[in-house]
Amino acid sequence: RVVSLVANPGSKPKPLKAGDEGVVMGPGNEEHPITADFDHTSFIFQTKHLCTPADWSAKVASMRPFSIGDRVVSLVAKLCWPKPLKVGDEGVVRGPGSEKKPMTVDVGHTSGNLQPTQLCSLTDTHRPWFLGSVPDSHYREALEVVDRYDGWNATGIASDRLNSAILQKGWKDGMRAKMYNAASELTRKADGGRPVVAIVIAGGPACDWERWHLSNPKDLPSTCDYNSETEQHIRSTFPALRLKVCTNPRDMKSFLERGLPLDECQ
């Protein structure tokens, strides 16, 4: 009997998980020399991807303080991986790795082995974020979420003093300044490497203009004009910026409680 040290989430009829127990059935091929059966599904393995049940506990202990399934953040860059790993990339612990790098981590676009000291838990990192746009009807409730979850507010409403008394050339100048300042300051606090999330709550035409400034440049036909008017796209200056579009403050709160997952961002 053997234990798999690797996962195969796409296997059928059910995914293979690290820690699953199987039975060696015979030789595999030159590259993967062992065939093992896991609950009536056969896989071929390299010997380094299997261990005995007696060795499994020691493999799991070498991963501490992490466990399989933990969401983690890389503290290192690895240019030698199949696709480069960057500092700040998020991933999931899939199982034990090698002797010197005892954890296998999947970050979506690539995977590889790391030491526990090269990772931190996603819950140990405070991801910088700010509210970049909200309709007037959701403004007060959205600010309560900002305050509760330690965010930064870059929004306002027509009746506030900035928009009604201080700005002389219209609300857009004020919003450009607030969005740019929020992105700039939070990027600085994140040391320029960790992603910064801008959250917007969908609304009317004004919200659409604000969301355009925070959208991925790759998704826009132009970053120099909006509806035929000249604009300097704010996000183009901040490559670490990500955008999350929410429908209401409750949706925003749910996103924050899930740890601001980047795979939900644009």
Side-chain angles (χ1 to χ4, degrees):
R1 295 193 64 84
V2 291
V3 178
S4 175
L5 300 177
V6 295
N8 186 350
S11 63
K12 303 293 184 180
K14 67 179 185 180
L16 175 71
K17 303 186 298 295
D20 283 351
E21 286 196 25
V23 178
V24 175
M25 304 303 292
N29 55 39
E30 185 175 346
E31 185 178 354
H32 301 88
I34 293 178
T35 298
D37 179 81
F38 289 79
D39 195 17
H40 306 295
T41 302
S42 293
F43 302 89
I44 54 177
F45 293 87
Q46 295 179 7
T47 54
K48 67 181 182 181
H49 292 153
L50 296 168
C51 71
T52 66
D55 290 337
W56 173 249
S57 295
K59 294 284 188 182
V60 172
S62 70
M63 297 166 52
R64 292 175 182 163
F66 301 103
S67 301
I68 295 171
D70 283 356
R71 292 186 65 85
V72 291
V73 178
S74 176
L75 302 176
V76 296
K78 294 289 183 180
L79 300 180
C80 59
W81 280 24
K83 291 185 179 179
L85 175 74
K86 303 187 297 296
V87 174
D89 278 351
E90 289 182 19
V92 178
V93 177
R94 293 302 186 194
S98 62
E99 184 176 350
K100 293 184 179 180
K101 297 178 179 178
M103 297 173 58
T104 298
V105 178
D106 179 1
V107 294
H109 67 283
T110 189
S111 62
N113 295 340
L114 293 171
Q115 298 174 7
T117 55
Q118 295 174 318
L119 298 163
C120 67
S121 171
L122 184 61
T123 58
D124 291 338
T125 62
H126 170 67
R127 190 185 311 291
W129 69 275
F130 67 93
L131 179 64
S133 179
V134 59
D136 286 10
S137 58
H138 289 313
Y139 181 68
R140 297 298 176 191
E141 188 178 355
L143 287 195
E144 291 177 3
V145 178
V146 170
D147 293 342
R148 180 175 178 182
Y149 291 91
D150 197 22
W152 183 305
N153 178 43
T155 68
I157 53 176
S159 60
D160 65 30
R161 180 165 174 76
L162 176 66
N163 284 294
S164 63
I166 296 175
L167 293 175
Q168 301 296 312
K169 296 184 179 180
W171 65 273
K172 286 186 175 180
D173 276 349
M175 276 307 303
R176 290 186 191 99
K178 288 189 287 185
M179 287 190 292
Y180 186 93
N181 183 63
S184 178
E185 283 298 290
L186 292 180
T187 297
R188 178 183 64 81
K189 289 186 175 185
D191 299 322
R194 283 189 294 140
V196 173
V197 176
I199 297 177
V200 301
I201 296 178
C207 292
D208 291 343
W209 175 84
E210 292 159 349
R211 182 167 64 184
W212 177 85
H213 270 291
L214 300 172
S215 295
N216 191 331
K218 295 179 181 179
D219 297 333
L220 302 175
S222 171
T223 57
C224 298
D225 70 85
Y226 178 80
N227 287 349
S228 301
E229 294 185 5
T230 300
E231 284 284 348
Q232 292 301 313
H233 185 245
I234 290 173
R235 179 168 166 179
S236 293
T237 308
F238 304 100
L241 198 61
R242 302 292 184 268
L243 173 65
K244 169 63 177 177
V245 180
C246 296
T247 55
N248 53 48
R250 186 183 300 113
D251 185 22
M252 172 181 166
K253 179 174 177 285
S254 173
F255 173 69
L256 294 167
E257 289 179 342
R258 295 195 306 277
L260 294 84
L262 292 182
D263 55 6
E264 297 183 20
C265 297
Q266 305 170 10

